């Protein structure tokens, strides 16, 4: 591969990076909020059943089919086409984002559940006794401990969401993979172009790995004291 | 749309037969990829725990690359790259094109390679959990390295590895949906075709999702049974 071709390809592919990051960050944010809700629901019995069912459905089937179901499937229903939501469900961007959020929520809620289970009962009781309201306990005691505990697993989830954004290229979104596919159909130099795209994702995932390792050291310094 | 459930049946207008066939193909490509992944994963795990520094860093690099690149890109690379390679070799040997490689092969190789990176991590953890005393004991009684591997390490490591391998199998099944981009007819591809030809998009994608759920649920149960059987010796000991 000539240097020239490499540089042109990279420049063309990097034009899709903002959309990839946009989808990745928004779906992690939306998925995180929904995951928190799912875990709060687990307090009641029906809520618990609903949350388990949700996790089962979204973790047991491929993301690709979920994307297609929302983008192509929902349009089958007349009431969706005639509702105020149609401007959203018509756009591949919103459908793709929704599928990513729903999928991420299922995985994140399980990670968060593991983290929440690690919160000592005593810490919560102590906070309650000292007069904190429930929202304060959640914000100042439960979530910080759970987040710290869940961070290593969550970092893999962040990487897998960044990788998952590549799938929305199948519903015509022009993020990095979508642009790569378009370039391939113009030039037929598939291997070089896909390798360039792979390098972009690899760089992103290395950044995430480094950042979460740094965050982990910041948040639980006592675990790393021995290494100094 | 629920009036059209006949479309999923086995009647003259039904897609039941082809969907079942597609499900079998999905299972086959997943099984092949998983088997390839476990063989390669064992090699990678062996390289990562070995003494050679070069092999260790190569295996580490392999794992990092495979975990950082989207699965769909790996499949594209294998599919288009494989076609370029076959075409180049074919033309050099004097055959006339067009050349093509099967989606099954490209998909199996690509998913197997990705899965190997994750399986290697599971297997490495399981290997490190084997009590070193048992390995030393095996060596002392004069076992060869292969016998030691077969009779001491594998039986103990497998018990620890089964839950992790089970999770890996589930991801392989879900990743197998991506092979549809090569045109290979498995569940995802078949439901797309059916949805396009009947215009019942939601119905067929939902049917596809249910087929995947059936496969992942049943195989999850199978792994649970195997795990239980593997633990039999330990559970009996604790009684």
């Amino acid at each position: 591969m000539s240097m020239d071709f490499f540089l042109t390809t990279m420049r063309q592919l990097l034009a899709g990076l903002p959309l990839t990051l946009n989808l990745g960050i928004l779906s992690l944010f939306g998925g995180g909020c929904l995951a928190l809700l799912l875990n709060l629901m687990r307090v009641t019995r029906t809520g618990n059943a609903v949350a388990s069912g949700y996790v089962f459905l979204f973790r047991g089937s491929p993301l690709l089919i979920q994307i297609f179901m929302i983008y192509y499937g929902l349009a089958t229903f007349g009431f969706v086409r005639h509702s105020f939501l149609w401007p959203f469900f018509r756009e591949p961007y919103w459908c793709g984002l929704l599928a990513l959020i729903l999928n991420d929520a299922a995985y994140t809620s399980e990670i968060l559940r593991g983290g929440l289970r690690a919160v000592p009962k005593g810490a919560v009781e102590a906070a309650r006794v000292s007069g904190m309201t429930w929202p304060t306990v959640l914000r100042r005691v439960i979530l910080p401990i759970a987040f710290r505990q869940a961070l290593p697993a969550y970092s893999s989830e962040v990487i897998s969401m960044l990788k998952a954004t590549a799938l929305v290229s199948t519903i015509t979104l022009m993020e990095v993979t979508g642009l790569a596919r378009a370039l391939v159909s113009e030039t037929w130099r598939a291997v070089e172009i896909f390798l360039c795209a792979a390098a972009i994702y690899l760089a992103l995932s290395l950044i995430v790995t480094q950042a979460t390792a740094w965050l982990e050291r910041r948040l639980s310094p006592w675990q790393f004291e021995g290494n100094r | 749309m629920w009036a059209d459930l006949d479309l999923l049946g086995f009647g003259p207008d039904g897609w039941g037969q082809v969907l079942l066939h597609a499900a079998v193909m999905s299972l086959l490509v997943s099984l092949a990829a998983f088997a390839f992944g476990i063989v390669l994963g064992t090699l990678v795990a062996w390289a990562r725990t070995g003494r050679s520094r070069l092999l260790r860093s190569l295996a580490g690099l392999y794992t990092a690359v495979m975990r950082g690149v989207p699965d769909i890109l790996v499949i594209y690379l294998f599919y288009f790259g494989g076609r370029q390679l076959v075409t180049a070799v074919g033309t050099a040997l004097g055959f006339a094109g067009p050349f093509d490689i099967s989606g099954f092969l490209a998909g199996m190789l690509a998913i197997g390679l990705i899965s190997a990176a994750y399986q290697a991590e599971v297997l490495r953890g399981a290997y490190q959990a084997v009590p070193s005393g048992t390995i030393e004991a095996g060596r002392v009684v004069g076992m060869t390295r292969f016998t030691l591997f077969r009779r001491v390490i594998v039986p103990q490591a497998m018990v620890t590895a089964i839950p992790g391998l089970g999770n890996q199998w589930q991801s392989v099944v879900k990743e197998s949906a991506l092979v549809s981009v090569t045109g290979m007819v498995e569940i995802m591809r078949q439901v797309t075709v059916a949805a396009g030809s009947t215009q019942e998009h939601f119905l067929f994608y939902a049917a596809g999702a249910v087929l995947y759920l059936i496969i992942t649920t049943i195989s999850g149960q199978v792994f649970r049974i195997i795990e239980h059987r593997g633990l039999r010796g330990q559970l009996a000991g604790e009684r």
Side-chain angles (χ1 to χ4, degrees), chain B residues 82 96 121 169 214:
Chain B
E121 291 296 285
W169 162 253
I214 291 174

Side-chain angles (χ1 to χ4, degrees), chain B residues 15 18 48 67 99 136 139 159 195 208 225 227 236:
Chain B
W15 290 77
V18 282
R48 280 204 86 168
R67 295 171 95 169
F99 298 95
E136 276 162 28
R139 222 173 267 152
V159 176
I225 292 170
E227 187 187 343

Side-chain angles (χ1 to χ4, degrees), chain A residues 35-93:
Chain A
L36 191 58
L37 271 179
L38 282 170
N39 271 292
L40 293 178
M41 266 166 62
R42 283 187 185 272
V43 179
T44 64
R45 213 160 190 218
T46 26
N48 190 27
V50 172
S52 305
Y54 178 89
V55 170
F56 168 76
L57 286 180
F58 279 90
R59 293 214 316 173
S61 61
L63 173 60
L64 190 61
I65 220 165
Q66 293 160 14
I67 292 177
F68 278 34
M69 217 165 171
I70 292 174
Y71 184 56
Y72 295 112
L74 286 183
T76 329
F77 301 115
F79 65 86
V80 177
R81 274 203 307 274
H82 298 125
S83 77
F84 68 99
L85 286 171
W86 182 234
F88 288 99
F89 286 123
R90 203 173 49 191
E91 294 294 330
Y93 172 81

Side-chain angles (χ1 to χ4, degrees), chain A residues 56-57 59-62 64-65 68-69 72-73 76-77 107 159 163 166-167 181 188 190-191 194 198 201-202 205, chain B residues 1 64-65 67-70 72-73 76-77 80-81 84 118 174 178 188 201-202 205-206 208-209 212-213 216-217:
Chain A
F56 168 76
L57 286 180
R59 293 214 316 173
S61 61
L64 190 61
I65 220 165
F68 278 34
M69 217 165 171
Y72 295 112
T76 329
F77 301 115
Y107 287 89
I159 293 176
K163 297 195 309 185
L167 292 186
R181 269 173 42 153
W188 283 102
V191 174
F194 284 136
Y201 285 101
L202 192 58
S205 87
Chain B
M1 66 164 270
V65 168
R67 295 171 95 169
V69 174
I72 197 166
L73 272 180
Y76 281 143
L77 269 172
F80 290 105
Q84 277 182 10
Y118 291 92
K174 285 179 273 170
L178 302 183
M188 189 67 213
H201 292 279
F202 194 85
Y205 289 124
Y212 282 109
L213 281 170
T216 49
T217 311

Side-chain angles (χ1 to χ4, degrees), chain B residues 5 13 18 38 40 69 86 91 112 115 129 176 194 236:
Chain B
L5 274 180
D13 298 332
V18 282
I38 205 167
L40 192 65
V69 174
V86 174
T91 325
S115 173
S176 78

Side-chain angles (χ1 to χ4, degrees), chain A:
Chain A
M1 170 164 42
S2 71
M3 202 59 200
D4 221 25
F5 181 71
F6 172 74
L7 287 178
T8 340
T9 308
M10 268 303 187
R11 200 170 323 122
Q12 280 164 316
L13 290 183
L14 282 175
L17 191 59
L19 184 56
T20 293
L21 290 178
N22 170 313
L23 285 167
I25 291 168
L26 288 184
S27 62
L28 283 169
F29 180 72
C33 294
L34 194 53
L36 191 58
L37 271 179
L38 282 170
N39 271 292
L40 293 178
M41 266 166 62
R42 283 187 185 272
V43 179
T44 64
R45 213 160 190 218
T46 26
N48 190 27
V50 172
S52 305
Y54 178 89
V55 170
F56 168 76
L57 286 180
F58 279 90
R59 293 214 316 173
S61 61
L63 173 60
L64 190 61
I65 220 165
Q66 293 160 14
I67 292 177
F68 278 34
M69 217 165 171
I70 292 174
Y71 184 56
Y72 295 112
L74 286 183
T76 329
F77 301 115
F79 65 86
V80 177
R81 274 203 307 274
H82 298 125
S83 77
F84 68 99
L85 286 171
W86 182 234
F88 288 99
F89 286 123
R90 203 173 49 191
E91 294 294 330
Y93 172 81
W94 294 109
C95 290
L97 184 62
L98 180 65
L100 288 171
I101 287 177
L102 293 177
N103 188 267
D104 175 63
Y107 287 89
T108 305
S109 87
E110 286 298 277
I111 295 173
L112 193 61
R113 194 155 75 107
L116 288 174
R117 215 182 287 153
V119 177
K121 271 217 174 82
V124 180
E125 275 163 24
R128 286 295 289 164
V129 167
S130 63
M132 285 189 191
T133 58
W134 269 116
T136 318
V137 177
L138 191 67
R139 186 168 60 82
R140 306 207 57 167
V141 179
I142 299 179
L143 284 183
I145 299 179
F147 185 72
R148 227 175 267 164
Q149 188 70 29
L151 193 59
Y154 191 62
S155 93
S156 334
E157 177 56 21
V158 172
I159 293 176
S160 78
M161 274 327 275
L162 277 176
K163 297 195 309 185
T165 59
L167 292 186
V168 299
S169 65
T170 53
I171 52 170
T172 70
L173 281 181
M174 284 298 163
E175 34 67 75
V176 176
T177 307
L179 287 175
R181 269 173 42 153
L183 271 183
V184 168
S185 58
E186 274 170 33
T187 61
W188 283 102
R189 298 174 75 168
V191 174
E192 291 107 309
I193 293 169
F194 284 136
L195 279 179
C196 286
I200 293 175
Y201 285 101
L202 192 58
L204 283 182
S205 87
L206 286 181
I207 293 173
V208 173
T209 319
Q210 292 301 316
T212 42
W214 174 81
L215 197 61
E216 234 173 283
R217 270 196 306 272
R218 270 300 295 275
L219 291 178
S220 354
W222 60 90
Q223 284 187 359
F224 296 89
E225 266 166 12
N227 296 343
R228 248 186 254 152

